[in-house]
Amino acid sequence: MTTRDRLTIRLTVNGEAHTVEISSNLMLVDLVRERLNLQGTRVACDQGACGACTVLVDGRPITACLSFAFTADGAAVLTIEGVAGSDNTLDTVQLAFHDSGVPQCGFCTPGMVLLAKAYYMQQPMPEGADVERWLDANICRCSGYQVFRRALHSTPPREDAP
Amino acid sequence: MNIRTNTLTQVGQSIPDVDSRAKLTGSARYTSDIVIDEMLHAKVLRSPHPHALIRSVDVSRALAMPGVAAVVTGDDLTALDFTYGMFIRDQPVLAKDKVRYVGEPIAAVAASTEELAWRALAEIRVDYDVLAPVSSIAAALDERAPMLFGDELHASALPPPPPNSTWTQEPSPNILFDFNHGFGDVDGWFQRCHHVFEDRFTIGRQSHCALEPHVSLARFVADHAVEVWSNNQDPFLLRQDIARIFRLKLDDVRFHAGLVGGGFGSKSYCKIEPIAVLLARKARRAIRLALTMSESMMTVCDHGAEIWLRSGVSASGETLVREAVVNLDGGAYADASPSVAMRIGTRFNGPYRWRAVRSRVRVVRTTTIPAGSFRGFGAGHVTWACESQMDMIARRLGRDPYAIRADNFVRLGTAGAPGESVLDSDLMEGLQTVGERVGYKSKERVPKRGIGFAVAVKGGGGSHRADARVRVWASGAVSLAAGVTEIGQSTRTVLTQIAAEVLNIDPDRVAVEDIDTDTTPFDSGTHASNGATVAGLAVREAAEKARVRILEFAGGILQCTSAELDFCNFQVRRGENRYLLADLVAQRGPGVDTMFAGEASVQTGSGSFFWMPVWTAVEVEVDAETGAFKILRLINATDAGRAINPQRCVSQIEGAAVQGLGQALFENLAYCEAQPLNATPLKYRLPRISDVPHQFETIILEQGHGPGAYGVKGLGESGNLTIPAAIANAIADAVGARVTDLPITPDRVLKALGVASKPNTNVTRTVEAN
Ligand code: FES
Ligand code: FES
């Protein structure tokens, strides 16, 4: 067996500061799911093809199954557990998804929520066609995607996006 | 039993899925999230060869690695009843002596980490004697083809053939199953009919690609008792399989099932569960075996097929006689193929009246991924061929494809074939609905644009048993237990609504229990779109029994008959008086049970318990230079009988439609020579939002004839069936090009354009109603 480099990284996850010692080949999704016990992030294809593992790193959506954990050193990571308010009130995207009936099996849902959220954080005045370009990154095998259109066309642009 | 007939308050409401918040906030838990203390991680070594004898497997170096706890191979199967398969048990838990497809499990390692288990796989040495592959149906049927198996028949548990059918199990080693079905004087009608049309259709393999890959956890709680968690939709069938394979008593096997991250057929029947159990037994530790999505894609796929249709019609286009010959590519092992073959063989009459039909369906073994159940269970194969040909016949006769369908539909309340249950939908209403919506009659023709229709009817819910238990606590909580697995179809929500309807309570008060075969009432499996319909009947009856018990109890205290009482929001009502159930229970003092339970069991007969129709209209625009085409509009309608939750019905049908769209446009799990080309998510093209036309409409009819509670019937498998044929028909309408192979790629359209005799067949849209 090879010995691998170990290193210490500092990051915030959902606003909480963490200092963790990791091996250099640890993937961000494993850091989140196994070390920090935040199991809402899903692993589906594990190849960067589906976006089920999407988390936001400094507001940018990335596929955590394909990102080394050390690349998040010094970053602010947002996972699905950090999206709803502390009293578990749904945020705008979650609420729009809830009202439109987005979740079916729900396995793609956390990634889709974060992807849409990242879009609204970057585009305070969203255009329908543009959000679709973003959502094209992720796969939902259960829905016909039309439900995402219905949900997001009802979501008002957020000016107070964190 | 007294089912109240007042207006419905819960049924028909589009409440969000009961797990919606948990799924949106990341707190929903799936089997892939389960962690058992001290568990080991397992990985599977898979065959790189499509066909080879295994001379030896040397695991010593893997076993010597620190952290590796156990390795299992075919040698560990000797004392077991080690094969499985839905009706014909030909698939070994691990390859024994021979491998029959690339990706077949040969050995499995349990180690302290997943990474270590991966590394240990590389240390296993397998010595193969490579044999010639059998990569296609044609190769398997060749006289000189290598045989996948010897001459002996495998153990089987085939049910009696359906009416007017016969079957032969393994007539030769490369043919798993030969199914024959028919009614009427086929030869006589072929002589009497005016026109006979013969066409051939092919269909590629589709991969399920549910986002949650297969995962199983197993641990022995004593030498003879095992507990398994698996994201399988058949926990009770799996319990039987594991008990049989490992020679355990049925009640010593316990299965758990929670939320499943999608299935579409890939998670029905036995899959990886025996490997996890085998390792748990050998390592004497809890095991977690989680596949990657690539491995899931190599575990099961849909059937590739070739279909010949010979159909005879009268001068006016009356459907008279049909003969179908089908070769299904079953892959290396049986899985659910015999059952799929029976469904296909009995459905060639489709939604039309025929005087005589004969079919032969053979499942051919090839050295490819085992084919199993896929949403529609073969109905998509039948529909692709039949609905394409229906259009071709109309155009050849110069008749309107819409009108020829309308003329020949099976009528509501009549049987489509001898021995079949009667049709419980009005097919004409559905066709008119999508026809009007797409503007078939009213729209002006635009060059290169065309409209295509397709209609299908799939049977649902047959031979199924569903039990349910509803418990009402005086404190104001209801617990619902049923064995239907939640795979994203919102069964938990729909059953909750039914219980809430009967008990006159808010659905928030109902909690659905996770499935545990030790305590959950029996269910023969989440199949054939039966959840809402069959389990729904059981839940309604169980809830009604609980309600009756509450009223009888209250009647005892209030000194009246229960007929004078009603139950609403956990209050017993008598005229203007309201009594809180909790207070009535308290009045009786200690020693009174505060819980009122009802149980029920529903068993359906062997035919179709209900019929799932689907009507599709598609408008396309074709670029005749390149063969590329754009779907401008897709309209899909189905009949829910009664929609318990219209929004959840729409979700099902939309999702199915886009699965059908993927199959129509690009999904195809292909082989290059003997090697799989794209059995991995990076290479297998799945539909994305940009593939879905903006004008994509779903219509849920409620014709009210379903046999389930409040008239409901299942619909989850209908929405994908007609999409490919409707698209092909629209392309033919636009430019006269007829594609008969799936997927419908631009190069196939271009090729078909080359052979199209006229650029447009120019059928008059007459729309002769009824
Ligand atoms: S799981 Fe990371 S992209 Fe699919
Ligand atoms: S809800 Fe199942 S994959 Fe999107």
Side-chain angles (χ1 to χ4, degrees), chain A residues 42-54 63-66:
Chain A
R42 307 260 151 245
V43 184
C45 73
D46 211 8
Q47 293 181 339
C50 75
C53 61
T54 301
T63 48
C65 73
L66 220 57

Side-chain angles (χ1 to χ4, degrees), chain B residues 307 309 343-345 347-348 350 378-387:
Chain B
I307 302 172
L309 277 188
R343 290 299 180 286
I344 288 179
R347 286 309 304 148
F348 276 99
H381 297 67
V382 171
T383 304
W384 165 240
C386 294
E387 280 302 279

Side-chain angles (χ1 to χ4, degrees), chain B residues 347 350-351 379 383 387 427 454-458 612-615 718 721-722:
Chain B
R347 286 309 304 148
T383 304
E387 280 302 279
L427 297 179
V455 182
V457 186
K458 184 195 179 289
M612 284 179 268
V614 56
W615 304 267
S718 61
L721 306 177
T722 35

Side-chain angles (χ1 to χ4, degrees), chain A residues 92-93 96-102 120 146-156:
Chain A
T92 337
V93 169
F97 279 14
H98 180 72
D99 291 343
S100 302
V102 162
Y120 288 114
Q146 199 72 340
V147 69
F148 290 103
R149 290 179 174 147
R150 284 195 292 271
L152 294 178
H153 292 161
S154 71
T155 305

Side-chain angles (χ1 to χ4, degrees), chain B residues 610-626:
Chain B
F610 56 88
W611 294 95
M612 284 179 268
V614 56
W615 304 267
T616 303
V618 168
E619 188 174 9
V620 298
E621 186 169 59
V622 185
D623 178 342
E625 304 288 306
T626 63

